[in-house]
Amino acid sequence: LMASQQVYRYTLVFHLLNQYSMELQEVLNQSLYEYNCLANVAKWYHWNVTGDNFTELHIFFGNIYDQAIKDIDLIAERLRALSLEINLESMNFDSKEEPIDQSMTSLSMIENLLFKVKVSLETSKQIIQIAIDNDDFGTQNMYGDLMQNAEKLAWMLKSFL
């Protein structure tokens, strides 16, 4: 490509990002919030699970937390890579999240985590569709990977029920 064609191409890409950046910023922040909720709840469950399957669930919940923290970092870095803002509310799950029931059984914990994963999967589908519609292959690819991990987690959670 000639230099003028390259400049035009990059200008076009930047323009396309600007046209849908507000919508993308909103749904990426929603996803960031959902992953923060998942991480915080999984960590609380990790600390508070009791019963016959304590060891297995303690480790399992800890692994969910660890993966969610990695996913949070990916999402936040994607927002910044696209020059989008991270909404402070995305990091403050207490502002919207229902209080954790201190008397939850391990089965209730698993059901609640499964619900949170299903919610994040719906948001991920929405993000992928927005990315497809706007030729944002980076976001599309990243969320494809996140969805694969979330679908596997949903399967693993269901196997406990």
Side-chain angles (χ1 to χ4, degrees):
L1 291 174
M2 297 178 67
S4 62
Q5 289 175 315
Q6 265 187 318
V7 169
Y8 173 76
R9 190 169 158 202
Y10 290 124
T11 303
L12 179 62
V13 168
F14 183 75
H15 177 70
L16 289 173
L17 286 176
N18 281 338
Q19 284 182 332
Y20 89 106
S21 63
M22 294 303 289
E23 180 182 18
L24 185 63
Q25 180 173 296
E26 183 180 325
V27 293
L28 286 175
N29 272 293
Q30 177 62 33
S31 180
L32 190 59
Y33 167 77
E34 291 165 3
Y35 274 90
N36 269 294
C37 289
L38 179 66
N40 286 313
V41 169
K43 190 58 149 182
W44 192 91
Y45 293 168
H46 168 79
W47 291 328
N48 290 288
V49 67
T50 59
D52 295 336
N53 295 328
F54 167 78
T55 302
E56 182 180 11
L57 289 174
H58 177 75
I59 293 167
F60 183 58
F61 294 155
N63 290 340
I64 293 170
Y65 169 80
D66 292 341
Q67 185 60 53
I69 292 298
K70 291 175 187 174
D71 295 341
I72 288 165
D73 194 50
L74 281 174
I75 297 164
E77 288 175 354
R78 186 68 188 158
L79 276 155
R80 298 306 299 142
L82 294 172
S83 299
L84 301 174
E85 296 297 320
I86 296 171
N87 184 335
L88 187 57
E89 289 180 9
S90 299
M91 303 306 293
N92 185 10
F93 93 104
D94 288 330
S95 66
K96 301 181 210 170
E97 184 70 8
E98 72 281 353
I100 295 174
D101 180 357
Q102 304 250 348
S103 65
M104 288 184 95
T105 65
S106 59
L107 186 61
S108 296
M109 292 175 180
I110 292 165
E111 288 171 340
N112 192 37
L113 285 171
L114 180 57
F115 173 78
K116 290 183 181 319
V117 170
K118 287 179 177 179
V119 168
S120 74
L121 280 167
E122 289 305 312
T123 301
S124 294
K125 288 177 190 173
Q126 183 182 3
I127 290 168
I128 288 172
Q129 190 57 58
I130 292 168
I132 288 170
D133 292 345
N134 291 279
D135 296 327
D136 180 355
F137 302 113
T139 301
Q140 179 184 347
N141 185 52
M142 185 182 95
Y143 269 87
D145 292 344
L146 288 172
M147 278 191 71
Q148 265 188 315
N149 292 339
E151 288 167 345
K152 182 177 179 182
L153 177 56
W155 163 67
M156 293 173 85
L157 288 163
K158 286 177 197 173
S159 73
F160 278 103
L161 300 177

